[in-house]
Amino acid sequence: MTDLSDLIRQRIAEDGPLSLADFMGIALTHADGGYYITRDPFGVAGDFTTAPEVSQMFGELIGLWSAVTWQSMGGPDPVRVVELGPGRGTLMADLLRAAHAVPAFARAIRPHLVEISPTLRAAQEQALGAAGPDHAPTWHTALGEVPLGPSIIIANEFFDALPVRQFERTEEGWRERLVDSDPAGGFCVTLSRKEVARLGPAPEGSVQEICPEGNETAAAIGRRLAAFGGVALIIDYGHEETALGDTLQAVRDHAFAPVLEAPGEADLTAHVDFEALANAAQVAGARAYGPVPQGHFLMALGLAERTRALLDAADARQREDIAAAQHRLAHPDEMGLLFKVLALGAPDLPTPAGFEGA
Ligand code: SAH
């Protein structure tokens, strides 16, 4: 058991059971011992791998997409390129390198990183060192702190880390699932005594997840894009339409673990509800495109051509890695279908590249 377990137990003793969202928020981002605060969880030695860590092609293609998007915005200078939850900073470093294909875009870019973890901020600073003084990033703890203006916003595997609440349909209506201390010294799920939300009809035992912080963030993105121009790309795993089900999961050392077992020691994520995010952004004045499967999106952006160009310049061992990376990113049995890409845009802009016909 971790120190965070003690802290959560004390909170429950004082205030009663916590919502799952409060539990998840503490476990992931509490300043003393939150999962993301204390470690770099990515890669072979960590708990999981993400697309930008699989291959430089991912960030490079998003960099080229950003350049085309910027041109469609009328080439504003400066343009904020904002990344939410940049992890090791790999995607932004690859994006900035690729952006030099369009020098006027490269000159206009002001990178802004929204990151809550001091450990990962340090990793990002190191990754972006090579980007040079013109692309020195500014860090923020929330999107609301990023200066207003035309922007391109990228979020890869950010929304799945935002805390979710869960509601369960009982014979007496919808009850919230709460976290309580159990006598054995661990945590267990209990139900709120009163109905706390009015949700639609569903069979008894159904679970409905809601991500209030995700929906608020999508609304804030929508307002910003509608007022100042720009496009956002949200890449994550999840469902296209709002659906019932408990998707909260814990991953530790590349394996699933019990969700409530060791707060601060395991990564907690939930499927992203793309329909809810798109709705929130549309209500705020933006347009939504997709979501399209990640594999389709990357192929539309030229993943196959980029792979071929890298293969031509590679030795035998590198060739194997490059081919494996393309497979991992785009194949339907790997990340190609599970991960989806949603675009949000200012209403006066054309359909973003990769979303034609979506
Ligand atoms: N985009 C990266 C990392 C994904 S992990 C990649 O694809 O590799 C989630 C990232 O979001 C981490 O950098 C984590 O520290 C950050 N994060 C999680 N919750 C956050 C919050 N509430 N505010 C800001 N950053 C957060």
Side-chain angles (χ1 to χ4, degrees):
M1 280 288 151
T2 58
D3 293 346
L4 275 189
S5 296
D6 294 338
L7 184 140
I8 293 171
R9 230 188 313 281
Q10 198 180 334
R11 277 272 292 270
I12 293 172
E14 285 164 10
D15 303 334
L18 297 179
S19 71
L20 269 170
D22 286 343
F23 179 89
M24 191 174 169
I26 294 171
L28 291 183
T29 58
H30 191 279
D32 303 318
Y35 177 78
Y36 283 115
I37 304 301
T38 56
R39 75 193 73 212
D40 174 346
F42 308 103
V44 188
D47 289 323
F48 60 95
T49 309
T50 58
E53 302 300 332
V54 168
S55 168
Q56 67 187 66
M57 293 189 286
F58 188 77
E60 288 171 353
L61 288 172
I62 291 178
L64 297 175
W65 176 91
S66 300
V68 172
T69 298
W70 175 76
Q71 283 164 337
S72 80
M73 290 161 62
D77 185 357
V79 62
R80 270 108 204 163
V81 175
V82 184
E83 188 177 358
L84 308 181
R88 282 181 173 168
T90 309
L91 191 162
M92 185 59 90
D94 294 338
L95 179 157
L96 291 173
R97 204 177 49 253
H100 284 103
V102 181
F105 174 52
R107 278 195 301 276
I109 294 178
R110 303 291 179 276
H112 289 268
L113 305 179
V114 177
E115 175 57 67
I116 203 165
S117 162
T119 308
L120 290 173
R121 280 190 186 196
Q124 290 153 19
E125 188 168 10
Q126 204 172 6
L128 291 174
D134 291 345
H135 285 156
T138 311
W139 278 272
H140 312 272
T141 46
L143 176 61
E145 297 166 10
V146 178
L148 298 172
S151 35
I152 293 172
I153 302 174
I154 314 287
N156 187 64
E157 291 211 49
F158 171 73
F159 283 83
D160 67 33
L162 299 181
V164 292
R165 296 174 69 180
Q166 284 185 349
F167 302 89
E168 187 175 319
R169 181 78 169 84
T170 70
E171 50 179 4
E172 291 145 348
W174 290 96
R175 297 279 189 269
E176 182 158 12
R177 286 186 159 181
L178 303 172
V179 179
D180 204 352
S181 300
D182 73 16
F187 298 106
C188 59
V189 170
T190 67
L191 295 179
S192 68
R193 263 180 279 160
K194 287 204 215 106
E195 187 158 52
V196 283
R198 291 204 178 279
L199 301 170
E204 215 177 299
S206 301
V207 173
Q208 173 87 65
E209 276 173 359
I210 294 178
C211 184
E213 204 176 321
N215 297 342
E216 282 154 26
T217 304
I221 291 173
R223 278 193 297 277
R224 186 175 284 257
L225 299 178
F228 301 98
V231 182
L233 266 193
I234 297 175
I235 308 153
D236 226 309
Y237 71 107
H239 30 268
E240 272 171 53
E241 292 175 6
T242 302
L244 295 169
D246 170 2
T247 73
L248 185 57
Q249 65 181 37
V251 168
R252 200 172 170 183
D253 300 332
H254 292 267
F256 292 111
V259 168
L260 301 181
E261 187 176 77
E265 299 296 318
D267 186 35
L268 299 179
T269 60
H271 282 208
V272 170
D273 179 348
F274 284 103
E275 185 181 355
L277 297 185
N279 281 343
Q282 281 166 327
V283 168
R287 264 209 197 130
Y289 304 89
V292 297
Q294 172 170 303
H296 292 201
F297 179 72
L298 293 177
M299 287 304 195
L301 261 45
L303 178 63
E305 293 76 6
R306 185 83 195 110
T307 303
R308 236 173 284 132
L310 285 180
L311 285 175
D312 285 346
D315 63 32
R317 207 190 56 77
Q318 288 169 330
R319 292 172 74 91
E320 234 172 76
D321 289 348
I322 293 162
Q326 174 182 343
H327 185 80
R328 182 87 191 272
L329 292 175
H331 194 276
D333 294 338
E334 298 275 346
M335 302 177 87
L337 269 186
L338 178 65
F339 281 75
K340 298 175 182 71
V341 189
L342 173 73
L344 306 173
D348 56 341
L349 293 180
T351 300
F355 294 87
E356 300 87 353

